[in-house]
Amino acid sequence: MTTVSQLGDARTGKLADNLSGFGRTLRRAGVCVDAARMALAQQAVMLVGLRRDDFCAALEAVLVSREQDRLVFRELFDAYFRNPDVAQKLLAQMLPSAESRAEPARRRPRVSEALAPVRAARNAPPREDDKVDFDAAMTASDLQRLRQADFNQLSASEYLLVERLARDIALPLPRYAARRTRPGVRGSRPHWPGAMHHAARNGGEVLRIPLLQRRQQPLPLLVLVDVSGSMERYARLLLAFLHAATAPRHTGAALRRDVFAFGTGLTDLTPAFRLADTDAMLQWASHAITDYAGGTRMGDSLAQLRLHHARRLVGRRTLVLLISDGLDTGAPEVLEQELGWLRRHCGRLLWLNPLLRFDGYAPTARGASVLFRQVHGMVAVHNLGRLQDLAGSMAAVLRQ
């Protein structure tokens, strides 16, 4: 019978506990780590041994699933499994002596926050004085910094705060003249039933003839959200923003909105958007989306939209918002065909691209180049400032 050695090292014998603590640190930094991944990490370490490079590579292979988390993992690994005394002795032998001390390396906000001490009562409800201190600490400069900060560069706590702030941003959608009418001051046809009603209250005298004017309704909205690995941090925040901004209490009218998430397949999120609470919507969506943080096959997803949900497009009035970075792995000819069909069957097709945060960005990737040729306009959505300006940017594109 073969015996499996337990995790541990020669000095303390607590490598298993350290590995569990490292997993909790990764979660505090916003890295997706669950119990299944930690079990795989323990198996990987038992297979490769405790040589530092192999140990780090094995943990990175099973604990990191997103490219944006890779550098965060490496910084946390170096900081968590480093022996300060040995490191100082090695540096003293390798580096020449100098009078001035070198500046410490600047860590990413997610890494600094994860390495900070955790409050013992973090699960306790916040006290009233804590809320007051938080409001006082959030100065105008802090709000301005968060307004301009990229969603992908925020720490875990900043991300939650920005998500809450995004829910308060209004999104006035363009309106159109519907077929149904209502009495109003301006109009082209007289409203005779209203005129007779007023005359009956004035002894039969027709003193005023009300007019009928066409109702103004917001454009039907179709939202397609990319939930691939490169769009993971943008997708959740933009879903929360769109759910709150397009709610009937904000639009003032019944808005037809259909929402789909796509990665390697298409997921209908319209039932989730009928929920009044944004947190409930996000929870429903997290259970419904099975390809979250995976790859992107936009052409195949749009083909499913055409085959099974074509009736969601209301004539040529529908405003389509396609939220993606354009990093598609599918066949470009399929994407070209499906985008052409979508463009012909909607009013306007707008591409909301978070990669526009980079100066001099050009859609040179094959999926991005197809999108750029087919859409009516491209708008940046990478921070709170851009979300606040989204309505004006959409109106400018629609006027073209």
Side-chain angles (χ1 to χ4, degrees):
M1 179 181 296
T2 59
T3 59
V4 179
S5 60
Q6 298 297 322
L7 289 177
D9 56 45
R11 293 172 298 173
T12 61
K14 294 187 177 181
L15 182 57
D17 296 338
N18 291 335
L19 191 59
S20 300
F22 182 56
R24 291 191 293 269
T25 304
L26 289 175
R27 282 194 291 270
R28 289 199 299 269
V31 181
C32 298
V33 177
D34 54 11
R37 289 184 182 271
M38 292 306 301
L40 286 176
Q42 292 186 5
Q43 296 177 14
V45 172
M46 293 171 65
L47 291 175
V48 302
L50 297 180
R51 185 173 176 271
R52 182 180 177 84
D53 293 340
D54 297 338
F55 181 61
C56 178
L59 291 183
E60 182 177 349
V62 298
L63 296 180
V64 178
S65 59
R66 302 178 301 181
E67 183 62 30
Q68 60 265 31
D69 294 335
R70 196 168 303 279
L71 295 179
V72 175
F73 169 86
R74 293 174 182 174
E75 288 189 14
L76 281 176
F77 182 88
D78 293 338
Y80 196 89
F81 291 102
R82 183 179 59 220
N83 189 324
D85 298 332
V86 176
Q88 290 180 4
K89 293 179 181 179
L90 290 177
L91 287 176
Q93 295 176 3
M94 296 173 59
L95 298 180
S97 58
E99 295 295 332
S100 60
R101 298 180 61 184
E103 292 292 334
R106 182 180 180 183
R107 292 193 176 115
R108 288 171 172 76
R110 293 165 59 187
V111 177
S112 301
E113 183 179 273
L115 293 176
V118 184
R119 292 178 57 186
R122 60 181 178 182
N123 294 327
R127 298 175 300 177
E128 191 65 28
D129 53 351
D130 293 339
K131 297 180 181 179
V132 173
D133 292 342
F134 174 78
D135 293 337
M138 186 57 65
T139 61
S141 59
D142 294 331
L143 289 175
Q144 181 65 20
R145 180 182 61 82
L146 288 180
R147 185 176 181 271
Q148 301 299 330
D150 189 337
F151 298 148
N152 204 28
Q153 303 298 327
L154 297 173
S155 65
S157 60
E158 289 175 340
Y159 183 86
L160 294 177
L161 175 60
V162 168
E163 181 186 311
R164 294 290 176 179
L165 294 176
R167 302 183 188 187
D168 298 330
I169 299 177
L171 181 63
L173 294 173
R175 295 176 175 262
Y176 71 99
R179 293 182 179 180
R180 293 187 177 183
T181 58
R182 66 177 181 180
V185 179
R186 299 178 181 178
S188 58
R189 293 184 301 164
H191 181 41
W192 292 117
M196 295 299 101
H197 178 73
H198 286 289
R201 297 193 306 179
N202 293 279
E205 295 290 336
V206 180
L207 302 179
R208 182 172 65 89
I209 300 179
L211 301 176
L212 290 176
Q213 65 181 14
R214 299 176 68 178
R215 296 177 181 268
Q216 296 292 322
Q217 293 184 354
L219 289 174
L221 189 63
L222 174 63
V223 181
L224 302 171
V225 183
D226 187 350
V227 293
S228 61
S230 58
M231 286 288 297
E232 183 178 0
R233 287 177 69 84
Y234 297 100
R236 174 184 170 87
L237 197 146
L238 290 174
L239 282 174
F241 159 69
L242 290 172
H243 179 268
T246 60
R249 63 181 181 273
H250 289 165
T251 59
L255 170 65
R256 176 164 183 172
R257 54 179 179 175
D258 295 287
V259 184
F260 293 89
F262 68 90
T264 55
L266 191 70
T267 304
D268 187 3
L269 298 182
T270 304
F273 266 64
R274 296 194 186 104
L275 301 175
D277 184 63
T278 302
D279 293 325
M281 181 276 299
L282 292 174
Q283 184 177 6
W284 195 101
S286 64
H287 291 293
I289 300 174
T290 58
D291 55 350
Y292 197 71
T296 310
R297 291 200 296 268
M298 194 183 309
D300 298 339
S301 301
L302 292 179
Q304 297 180 34
L305 177 69
R306 173 176 57 85
L307 293 175
H308 304 291
H309 307 283
R311 294 175 64 90
R312 303 289 185 93
L313 295 170
V314 185
R316 293 186 58 84
R317 292 195 302 265
T318 304
L319 174 63
V320 179
L321 303 181
L322 199 156
I323 306 173
S324 175
D325 54 8
L327 303 180
D328 185 51
T329 59
E333 57 272 10
V334 176
L335 180 59
E336 185 93 40
Q337 177 183 354
E338 299 301 333
L339 281 175
W341 173 85
L342 183 60
R343 180 188 173 103
R344 293 191 301 271
H345 289 80
C346 70
R348 284 292 185 271
L349 176 58
L350 301 184
W351 179 14
L352 276 55
N353 186 1
L355 292 184
L356 286 178
R357 66 186 185 273
F358 298 114
D359 295 334
Y361 167 78
T364 55
R366 60 182 185 178
S369 61
V370 174
L371 270 171
F372 185 73
R373 291 194 301 268
Q374 293 289 348
V375 300
H376 294 95
M378 185 166 53
V379 181
V381 284
H382 59 277
N383 56 30
L384 284 178
R386 291 295 184 176
L387 291 185
Q388 292 174 341
D389 301 336
L390 181 58
S393 302
M394 289 168 50
V397 173
L398 294 175
R399 286 194 298 266
Q400 295 178 359

